[in-house]
Amino acid sequence: MITTALTTAAAATGPYWHGGGFPFFVFPAFFFLAFLVVFLVFGVFRRGSWRAVSDARAVLADRFARDDISAEEYRARLSELSRK
């Protein structure tokens, strides 16, 4: 009697009983790709602002090396860049 009920249930569910149906691996793959895109987009934006501060520090160090600005002015401007 139990065997008959299981056979009937297996026949009623069709191919989905044996691994068919929606491929659930799509959900983790989609979220992984979405996370990767967000990470790359924000990484590019952050790197762009970091590069601008780095370039400003390089210009400041170059001006200090050429003796265009004094040591006190160099330190003051460098601390101002560090706050931003």
Side-chain angles (χ1 to χ4, degrees):
M1 185 160 176
I2 293 177
T3 309
T4 308
L6 289 176
T7 306
T8 306
T13 56
Y16 301 109
W17 182 265
H18 299 287
F22 187 76
F24 286 102
F25 67 88
V26 172
F27 286 120
F30 171 75
F31 286 116
F32 175 74
L33 287 175
F35 176 74
L36 185 65
V37 167
V38 168
F39 180 75
L40 289 175
V41 166
F42 282 112
V44 168
F45 285 143
R46 185 174 181 192
R47 184 176 51 206
S49 66
W50 175 79
R51 190 175 296 160
V53 170
S54 178
D55 290 343
R57 287 182 181 158
V59 169
L60 189 61
D62 187 46
R63 288 186 63 199
F64 179 64
R66 286 184 288 149
D67 208 22
D68 289 345
I69 58 175
S70 66
E72 294 82 23
E73 188 176 358
Y74 173 74
R75 284 189 214 104
R77 290 184 182 195
L78 190 61
S79 68
E80 185 65 31
L81 282 175
S82 297
R83 281 192 234 160
K84 292 182 180 181

